[in-house]
Amino acid sequence: MIWQLTSYWRSLVTPLFFCLLLQPPQTQLATTTKPNIVLLMADDLGIGDIGCYGNDTIRTPNIDHLAKEGVKLTQHIAAAPLCTPSRAAFLTGRYPLRSGMDAINNYRVIFWNGGSGGLPPNETTFAKILQQQGYSTGLIGKWHQGVNCESCNDHCHHPLNHGFDYFYGMPFTLISDCLTTEPPEMDREFRRKLWLCTQMIGLVTLTSALARLTGLISVSWKTVTCLAGFSLLFFTSWFSSYGFIRYWNCIMMRNHEVTEQPMVTERTTSLILRESISFIERNKHKSFLLFLSFLHAHTPLLTTEKFLGKSSHGLYGDNIEEMDWMVGQVLDAIEREGLKNITLVYFASDHGGWLERQEGKRQLGGWNGIYRGGKAMAGWEGGIRVPGIFRWPGVLPADTVIDEPTSLMDIYPTVVHLAGGVVPQDRVIDGRDLMPLLQGTVQHSEHEFLFHYCGVHLHAVRWHQKESGAIWKAHYVTPVFRPPGAGACYDRGFCPCFGEGVTHHDPPLLFDLSRDPSEAKPLTGNTEPLFDIVIKKIGRAIEEHRRTLTPVPEQLSFYNIMWKPWLQPCCGTFPFCWCDKEGDNKLADL
């Protein structure tokens, strides 16, 4: 009898036990399953341009809702204040000077598709590790990390050589030169000087020819011919590149193939959105990584007709509201495919808004809220403090704000660990896994110090003193604003990293961002009792940090950023590079 009762209870308990094992709670399931990862990165977006970060006039309901459903970071810091180095750091989890992707000169970004500099092939991006973990990986939109090294088809810097299975977008970056209706943006002052020199050389040549014909001056025809030849050669040497920027830089590619040269800007937004949603739909039955790198909100602010004139902030506001709509479309696609609860979504900008970008009375750059400075300024918060939003229902808490220093470089170890991978052990990784902080299992960021570089020049250092909650920031170099007190370098268009356009501080300017986030009132030994202690502590951190740096080839050297005809991506036979392979494709009604 006892044996029968025991057998009876065992027959009931055993199936129940296995049912409990096979049906774990939703949160536990989501934590142990490899999530899909969708990374949304805006271009030149100011932290003050979004509703959930304080803007009450530009409408961003989709981004705001994303923050409501997830975690918002208030001290999310870019590793550089410009596109190329910031994105290199984002992709590799390393300060850009470790990979040679920060500049020693004034050319601080990739300047040509036909240049030889770019993200080195020996760098390991998070996409490459996720690809090895079985993820389908896609990049849609802006790349700006170079294309070729030695020939027009080696594609050594191309996204497909850095772990992405699929690429559709611009290998370069959007610039005003891509529109015939906009004034030139790329190297504007330098081009004016080249044109002036060409006119002067031409004038000398013409004067010599007239003097020879009239007999006023004894000039040989050989001299006149040499002058004319030099004038033609000089003009051709620069106009062959700068005169055809739309054809050389404003191109679209699908994988290794150039599809538009020059790009047809009227349909670019629709194509990028269509490609993003298509990638999600194609890969919904397996783990995927989608990096949607928006062309918004970089000048010339490509905006479709249905958003023009809709905002309270002119073309820039229209462009932001269109980007927010695109974010909503991507989120809708994720939910429509039943992927919301198994997808980590991240939204950020590559750096702060561009304060100096103006045309007449039109402000074409972003707003950085209460923070001082903007794009190209490595030390001031406005150049490097960016939005940072994470959503993963059931795993990350909703409607949560974290006021701890974090970095765009942190995405690297975070997504690598979520995918079951391991970060490279043969190099320094500066990013830190954010999941414990995002989930609330720890209260403080792992970052004690963050180093703020302008090119290869260290401008500022941040120290998070966790015991007191203070966030000290020491500025060793700051840009000289023109006109004085204007808050930006309006005379140059960009603030420089070195030379006459900067001021060196010894002792450094010191701020406590926890009390003075706008960096309005520098502290001194008279006003801050801990001044000397803080400066010495940061100084020792700089020494330790510099011991981790090793020499690497400079990817943004003058030679590497020069346009080289033999490296120019071309959909025809160079120099006859023009095509429109998307022209016959019917756009989806998105």
Side-chain angles (χ1 to χ4, degrees), residues 468-538:
S468 66
I471 299 179
W472 306 102
K473 189 167 168 201
H475 289 259
Y476 294 88
V477 184
T478 56
V480 177
F481 292 152
R482 290 282 188 273
C489 303
Y490 291 100
D491 60 329
R492 296 170 177 261
F494 272 118
C495 284
C497 297
F498 61 93
E500 296 179 356
V502 302
T503 300
H504 293 264
H505 302 280
D506 187 13
L509 300 179
L510 182 67
F511 300 90
D512 180 1
L513 299 181
S514 65
R515 292 178 285 168
D516 181 18
S518 301
E519 299 173 285
K521 298 177 181 179
L523 302 170
T524 67
N526 295 326
T527 60
E528 176 52 61
L530 298 177
F531 184 89
D532 291 333
I533 295 174
V534 171
I535 296 303
K536 287 179 182 178
K537 177 78 172 179
I538 292 176

Side-chain angles (χ1 to χ4, degrees), residues 82 103-109 111 492 496-498:
L82 285 174
I104 60 171
N105 52 45
N106 286 320
Y107 292 95
R108 297 159 56 190
V109 297
F111 253 69
R492 296 170 177 261
C497 297
F498 61 93

Side-chain angles (χ1 to χ4, degrees), residues 457-471:
H457 307 277
L458 184 64
H459 275 206
V461 179
R462 177 187 317 251
W463 174 31
H464 183 203
Q465 192 178 17
K466 299 175 185 178
E467 316 84 59
S468 66
I471 299 179

